[in-house]
Amino acid sequence: MLPKDPIILLSYINTKLRDEYSSLDDLCASLGESRDEIKESLSAVGFTYDSSLNKFV
């Protein structure tokens, strides 16, 4: 289960992307989470996924 707080979610997702996954799609498939829901939650607080950096910025 992912953190509900968007800032904690940002930290959690970016750490997972840095340490364990080569893309957001890989992370979502492995964790069984919705890419769109993650992107929507983080977009609401001003962050977007940058695939070239493999993190939300």
Side-chain angles (χ1 to χ4, degrees):
M1 184 169 184
L2 295 177
K4 298 297 180 196
D5 181 276
I7 301 303
I8 295 172
L9 177 63
L10 172 68
S11 178
Y12 178 82
I13 294 295
N14 276 346
T15 299
K16 289 285 193 183
L17 289 169
R18 182 191 68 220
D19 295 344
E20 299 176 35
Y21 299 99
S22 62
S23 72
L24 182 58
D25 288 331
D26 289 345
L27 180 144
C28 291
S30 178
L31 299 179
E33 298 291 341
S34 167
R35 175 187 172 101
D36 291 337
E37 287 180 19
I38 292 171
K39 288 178 78 173
E40 188 176 300
S41 292
L42 295 178
S43 176
V45 290
F47 294 93
T48 57
Y49 180 65
D50 184 328
S51 60
S52 67
L53 298 174
N54 192 35
K55 67 180 182 176
F56 281 86
V57 292

